Amino acid sequence: MLKFVKGPLESIEGVAIYPIISLLIFFIFFTALFWWVITAKKDYIKNVSSIPLELEDEEVPNLSKTDLP
């Protein structure tokens, strides 16, 4: 199966740059994400992690059986 992918790609000049670019994008993205996680303020992380748990009663819609389709 690899020959079906590798064969046509060998005829394209400069195709070897695309895997290098992909690897660089992958590496830069996860390095930046790691840096953001390490340098994030602990108060911000604590605040964001508790967002789903802080729902007020007014924010939750009161659905009855007649409201459902």
Side-chain angles (χ1 to χ4, degrees):
M1 169 131 177
L2 185 60
K3 66 181 177 180
F4 294 115
V5 175
K6 190 177 178 183
L9 290 177
E10 288 177 344
S11 64
I12 301 172
E13 288 197 30
V15 77
I17 193 71
Y18 293 111
I20 296 169
I21 292 172
S22 299
L23 180 64
L24 283 175
I25 291 171
F26 177 82
F27 182 74
I28 290 169
F29 174 77
F30 282 104
T31 303
L33 186 66
F34 179 74
W35 181 258
W36 179 80
V37 167
I38 295 299
T39 60
K41 294 190 182 344
K42 302 303 178 202
D43 292 336
Y44 174 76
I45 299 295
K46 184 183 268 188
N47 188 19
V48 170
S49 67
S50 65
I51 286 175
L53 304 175
E54 293 180 355
L55 289 177
E56 299 285 330
D57 288 336
E58 300 132 16
E59 294 179 18
V60 179
N62 188 4
L63 294 176
S64 65
K65 291 183 180 179
T66 58
D67 294 336
L68 297 175

